[in-house]
Each structure stands twice: as structure tokens, then as C-alpha cells.
Amino acid sequence: GTSLSICAEITNITDINIIGIKFKQVKFNKIRVNVKNNLLDISGSLELVDTDTRSGYTGTLDVDIMDLFALKGTGGFYKEQRSDGDGSYQWGYFVLTSETIEIVPVSLYDIVGGFYINARRKSSESDSDYSAEPLEGCNGIILGMGLKMGDGSTFNGKFGATVLINEGKLATLKFT
């Protein structure tokens, strides 16, 4: 489905004989997609963000290929007003995750890959929250994956890395 706002101004409302409508704008709010069949399920949305300090788009995309893997994507691209009132800058992020991809006897799990431009990952109690917050001059990537054999008793390991460059200098290099 799609959501649009049509903005208009009603003039001369006190006199029904000369009442008028003056068209102002059509504003895109949100678009949703959902496609499903026996093997594939795709759903997602793209939504307009328009506040006093931020404008842009945020979205999600989920792709589930039955009995093989599921991917979840989230991200956005925005124009942010500087807090000091001196202009604006653009920022964005995109993160793709997958819970499990199983190729017997190997399982890949907690797979994540993404990038942040003029932004960083928000501090969160949740390891699976990859949402972003603007930070001008900060760019980074996040990568991670778990690998196990069978039920995990033979081999089980998880790797994660976060790299942030802030104003041309390494700000964070984190391995987990």
C-alpha cells in the first residue's frame, strides 16, 4: 500500500457561493510492499521522515527464502540540521542481518554487515539493535558472523568487528 497526503487550503469558507479550494502539495508518506508465494516472502516499507531538524527516508526490507535463509535489512538516508544552526549535513546507514543460514553440517548464524555514513550505531542494551544516530564526520562498518558444526559441540565460534573513523582518525576498532 501507499500513503499520500494531499494538502489544500479552503478559501472564503464563510460564503458558500464563493468557497474555493487552493491546492498546495502532495506529500509521499509511506509505501509498503508484501509479496508471498510457496518459496519466497518479501516485505518492506519506505517511509518519509520530516521533522523540524531531520528530513529523509527510512526503510526496511525482509526477504525470506523458505527452508534456506532469511535476510532483514534496515536503514535510512537523511538531511540533518546542525544543532548550532549553521546549515545541515547528510547521513545514513544500512544494515543487513540474517539469523541462520544452514548448509548441513555447517550453520552460519547471527550474520550482520552494514555501514554508517556521518553516523554511528546507537548505544543499546540489545546486541541485535543496529539503528543509527547522526554524528557528522564519523563513518564506519560493522561485520559479524557465527559458525558452528552440527549441534555446536564439535565447533562453535562467533566473530564480530566494528570500525569507526571519526574526522579522519580511527575512533573505534572493536573485535568480539
Side-chain angles (χ1 to χ4, degrees), residues 105-107 109 147-157:
V106 176
S107 293
Y109 63 95
L147 174 69
K148 72 179 180 179
M149 299 285 287
D151 64 1
S153 60
T154 305
F155 178 81
N156 190 358

Side-chain angles (χ1 to χ4, degrees), residues 39-156:
L39 299 174
L40 181 67
D41 187 358
I42 299 173
S43 62
S45 66
L46 181 65
E47 189 169 354
L48 175 72
V49 175
D50 191 7
T51 67
D52 290 340
T53 59
R54 180 177 301 161
S55 62
Y57 298 93
T58 189
T60 62
L61 181 64
D62 297 342
V63 177
D64 188 358
I65 299 177
M66 310 302 177
D67 299 326
L68 189 56
F69 65 88
L71 298 172
K72 294 185 182 290
T74 186
F77 187 72
Y78 313 95
K79 184 176 183 179
E80 188 86 10
Q81 296 297 317
R82 291 190 176 94
S83 57
D84 62 8
D86 187 26
S88 63
Y89 64 97
Q90 294 179 330
W91 68 279
Y93 76 104
F94 181 76
V95 177
L96 190 63
T97 61
S98 180
E99 291 180 13
T100 303
I101 297 176
E102 198 165 335
I103 307 165
V104 178
V106 176
S107 293
L108 305 175
Y109 63 95
D110 292 343
I111 302 164
V112 63
F115 62 87
Y116 300 86
I117 300 170
N118 279 327
R120 65 178 174 193
R121 184 177 173 188
K122 274 186 186 175
S123 297
S124 172
E125 296 294 320
S126 170
D127 287 343
S128 62
D129 181 6
Y130 298 102
S131 57
E133 61 188 1
L135 182 60
E136 189 173 13
C138 186
N139 302 300
I141 60 168
I142 185 165
L143 300 168
M145 178 178 70
L147 174 69
K148 72 179 180 179
M149 299 285 287
D151 64 1
S153 60
T154 305
F155 178 81
N156 190 358

Side-chain angles (χ1 to χ4, degrees), residues 6-23:
I6 300 172
C7 302
E9 182 180 299
I10 299 175
T11 58
N12 300 318
I13 197 162
T14 55
D15 187 349
I16 194 97
N17 292 322
I18 56 171
I19 197 167
I21 296 176
K22 182 180 176 185
F23 172 78

